[in-house]
Amino acid sequence: MRYAVLGGGKRVRPLLAFAAGEAAAKEPVLADPERLEIAACAVECIHAYSLVHDDLPCMDNDVLRRGKPTCHVEFDEATALLAGDSLQALAFQLLAEHRLCDEPQAQLEMMRILAAACGSRGMAGGQAIDLASVGQPLTLAELEHMHIHKTGALIRASVALGARCANALSPEQLARLDHYANCVGLAYQVVDDVLDQESSTATLGKTAGKDAASHKPTYVSVIGLARAKALAGELREQAQTALSSLGAGARRLSDLADFIVLRKF
Amino acid sequence: MRYAVLGGGKRVRPLLAFAAGEAAAKEPVLADPERLEIAACAVECIHAYSLVHDDLPCMDNDVLRRGKPTCHVEFDEATALLAGDSLQALAFQLLAEHRLCDEPQAQLEMMRILAAACGSRGMAGGQAIDLASVGQPLTLAELEHMHIHKTGALIRASVALGARCANALSPEQLARLDHYANCVGLAYQVVDDVLDQESSTATLGKTAGKDAASHKPTYVSVIGLARAKALAGELREQAQTALSSLGAGARRLSDLADFIVLRKF
């Protein structure tokens, strides 16, 4: 579990949770950094568990992650399976045993959001669609549907949990944040596909060109490199627009949208 | 997910949750059957997920469960992995999105109990100890330590969640119920080991003699058949004694302790 979750990574989901907490904070309702830290840890535990399971031989069968052997290569498959299972449980334990917001009922809602984002109507369902899509000619809409679940659901949950630690936004403002999260979630995947095509294994810290080699549809294979890059730029614009009414507190969310689209790894 | 969770089984954990709710109920604080049903579904989702993952080739590599092909045989390994992952998420989603007790804070505590019971200090940790114990000469204390985690943790959580749906017991009464759960949890495993030795695959609906064949320590291998049977009887006695102060409402818990020890499958 330590190897999987403490072994580096960009920490995009925790950063989004912290940034959303900052965007949602209003004097005198500041998002407590200790609360945000718990939410950030929970989403990163879920992300780490999903990578460990995703890398297993029966899934993507990958041997390299963050420049190091994947968990089942470093240990063994059974240990990787159980470490992933335990990281999922740990995420919910963290959210249940620490105070995250003033109202326990709102905290239950945060737990519901994360659980729904992880399950068959969220991340795990997206991975199932991903597996079923190998060798299939997907439309852009079908590809988007897959990624909204596979990557997007947890990114949306990261923003939603961070914002709810502050508990100062109106439903309408929360909806705008959610739209922002949707856009950066999709942009993240579009850029991943572009980098997978254009970058080296050394730069990425994971096996480059893997999706193409395993006949998985990607944004590059479905709409081409140029349109994929343009789409990432459009999603970045949309994300920034969604933040416009949230004021100066949303600066870090804005920076993160730029980072997600402009990153080189 | 449906195949794994709706495919039969003894439903011991849901029965324990319902029975604990009945034991904890006191006029005017009756345990609402609809609340108990959610708690019962959650613990069974966790149990079903653990079986699906436990049967995978990298774990116990079993092909038969409840008289039917295991999930990865019926579908494939990746589907089984994701179905298990999703069932774990579904358990927490159920507990978060339905009202289980009057106080949301107490409901968060129920979620904490289940998450802790599932993770590295609970069920998944017990499975890791189990895997590490193959071919090892364990003492009775070490064997007990493994099963307290592997099987016992979720059985204790089932009783704890059921009792908390009624929310009418003192901490001391809850501690007695927990002692009951500890005893039946261990007894369950002792009887499993006895049946694995004495029964046929047809009767059990799962591969008999599997543990011995894979050099896993069992109560029968560590203390012998006669002492294992005597231990099951002692644990049944202890479980019944723990219930003695709880009155007539504990009748079903008492029946379940008898069933767990006297069952033939």
Side-chain angles (χ1 to χ4, degrees):
Chain A
M1 291 167 72
R2 290 189 194 94
Y3 184 84
V5 84
L6 302 177
K10 291 181 284 295
R11 310 297 192 201
V12 166
R13 291 155 194 80
L15 288 168
L16 284 167
F18 273 106
E22 194 168 285
K26 278 182 197 148
E27 297 281 3
V29 191
L30 282 171
D32 182 334
E34 288 182 20
R35 294 180 180 188
L36 282 171
E37 196 161 59
I38 298 300
C41 284
V43 296
E44 190 68 2
C45 283
I46 295 290
H47 178 56
Y49 121 66
S50 78
L51 296 182
V52 170
H53 281 189
D54 214 29
D55 288 334
L56 282 170
C58 69
M59 299 278 287
D60 286 353
N61 192 23
D62 221 325
V63 297
L64 196 65
R65 170 73 64 184
R66 295 167 177 169
K68 298 192 301 179
T70 47
C71 192
H72 67 275
V73 171
E74 181 73 12
F75 301 95
D76 58 51
E77 280 184 52
T79 303
L81 178 68
L82 291 172
D85 288 344
S86 301
L87 283 169
Q88 180 168 196
L90 181 58
F92 293 108
Q93 191 178 340
L94 285 169
L95 293 188
E97 77 185 6
H98 295 86
R99 172 62 61 93
L100 296 181
C101 53
D102 296 334
E103 294 297 328
Q105 187 60 47
Q107 190 161 336
L108 286 172
E109 169 65 6
M110 290 166 75
M111 296 194 73
R112 188 200 63 74
I113 288 170
L114 186 64
C118 292
S120 61
R121 306 280 174 102
M123 184 180 73
Q127 285 175 308
I129 300 171
D130 190 18
L131 288 168
S133 304
V134 172
Q136 301 290 318
L138 295 193
T139 64
L140 180 59
E142 289 167 335
L143 189 68
E144 188 174 299
H145 177 77
M146 174 177 89
H147 288 306
I148 282 173
H149 292 82
K150 192 186 167 194
T151 327
L154 185 58
I155 284 182
R156 285 174 68 190
S158 303
V159 170
L161 263 60
R164 281 166 176 77
C165 286
N167 204 21
L169 292 187
S170 67
E172 197 241 326
Q173 286 171 314
L174 284 173
R176 278 192 207 155
L177 266 194
D178 191 48
H179 182 58
Y180 160 88
N182 237 326
C183 293
V184 297
L186 272 178
Y188 193 92
Q189 191 59 51
V190 175
V191 172
D192 242 26
D193 289 351
V194 169
L195 292 172
D196 190 57
Q197 171 89 1
E198 291 197 321
S199 294
S200 68
T201 296
T203 310
L204 295 179
K206 61 183 178 183
T207 315
K210 192 81 203 297
D211 285 345
S214 53
H215 305 289
K216 282 196 176 185
T218 69
Y219 280 98
V220 174
S221 73
V222 172
I223 59 175
L225 195 57
R227 277 185 65 201
K229 286 181 180 180
L231 177 59
E234 285 162 29
L235 289 165
R236 177 186 169 201
E237 286 293 313
Q238 278 189 47
Q240 301 294 6
T241 306
L243 298 178
S244 58
S245 68
L246 288 163
R251 190 180 53 79
R252 280 185 212 268
L253 283 176
S254 170
D255 289 349
L256 280 166
D258 290 345
F259 167 73
I260 283 167
V261 173
L262 304 177
R263 71 200 161 98
K264 297 294 173 211
F265 62 96
Chain B
M1 292 167 72
R2 290 188 195 94
Y3 185 82
V5 84
L6 302 177
K10 292 182 283 296
R11 309 297 191 200
V12 166
R13 291 156 194 80
L15 287 168
L16 284 167
F18 273 105
E22 195 168 284
K26 279 183 195 146
E27 297 280 2
V29 191
L30 283 171
D32 183 332
E34 287 181 19
R35 294 180 180 188
L36 282 171
E37 197 160 59
I38 297 301
C41 284
V43 295
E44 190 69 1
C45 284
I46 294 290
H47 178 56
Y49 121 65
S50 78
L51 297 181
V52 170
H53 282 190
D54 213 29
D55 287 335
L56 282 170
C58 69
M59 299 278 287
D60 286 352
N61 191 23
D62 221 325
V63 297
L64 196 64
R65 170 72 67 184
R66 296 169 177 167
K68 298 193 300 180
T70 47
C71 193
H72 67 275
V73 171
E74 181 73 14
F75 301 95
D76 56 52
E77 281 184 51
T79 304
L81 178 68
L82 291 171
D85 287 345
S86 301
L87 283 169
Q88 179 167 197
L90 181 58
F92 292 108
Q93 190 178 342
L94 284 169
L95 293 187
E97 78 185 4
H98 294 86
R99 173 61 61 92
L100 296 181
C101 53
D102 296 333
E103 295 296 329
Q105 187 60 49
Q107 189 160 334
L108 285 171
E109 169 65 6
M110 291 166 75
M111 296 193 72
R112 189 200 62 74
I113 288 171
L114 187 64
C118 292
S120 61
R121 305 279 175 103
M123 183 180 74
Q127 285 176 306
I129 300 171
D130 190 18
L131 288 167
S133 304
V134 172
Q136 301 291 318
L138 295 194
T139 65
L140 180 58
E142 289 167 336
L143 189 68
E144 189 173 296
H145 176 77
M146 172 176 90
H147 287 306
I148 281 173
H149 292 83
K150 192 186 169 196
T151 326
L154 186 57
I155 285 182
R156 284 173 69 190
S158 303
V159 169
L161 264 59
R164 280 167 177 78
C165 286
N167 204 20
L169 292 187
S170 67
E172 197 241 327
Q173 286 171 314
L174 285 174
R176 278 193 205 155
L177 265 193
D178 191 48
H179 182 57
Y180 160 88
N182 236 326
C183 293
V184 298
L186 272 179
Y188 193 92
Q189 192 58 52
V190 176
V191 172
D192 243 25
D193 288 351
V194 169
L195 291 173
D196 191 58
Q197 171 88 1
E198 291 196 320
S199 293
S200 69
T201 297
T203 310
L204 295 179
K206 61 182 178 183
T207 316
K210 192 83 202 297
D211 286 344
S214 53
H215 305 288
K216 282 196 176 182
T218 70
Y219 280 97
V220 174
S221 73
V222 172
I223 58 175
L225 195 57
R227 277 185 64 201
K229 286 182 179 179
L231 177 58
E234 285 162 29
L235 289 165
R236 178 186 168 200
E237 286 293 313
Q238 277 189 47
Q240 300 294 5
T241 305
L243 297 178
S244 58
S245 69
L246 287 164
R251 189 180 53 79
R252 281 183 212 268
L253 283 176
S254 169
D255 289 350
L256 280 167
D258 290 346
F259 167 73
I260 283 167
V261 174
L262 304 176
R263 70 201 161 99
K264 297 294 174 210
F265 62 97

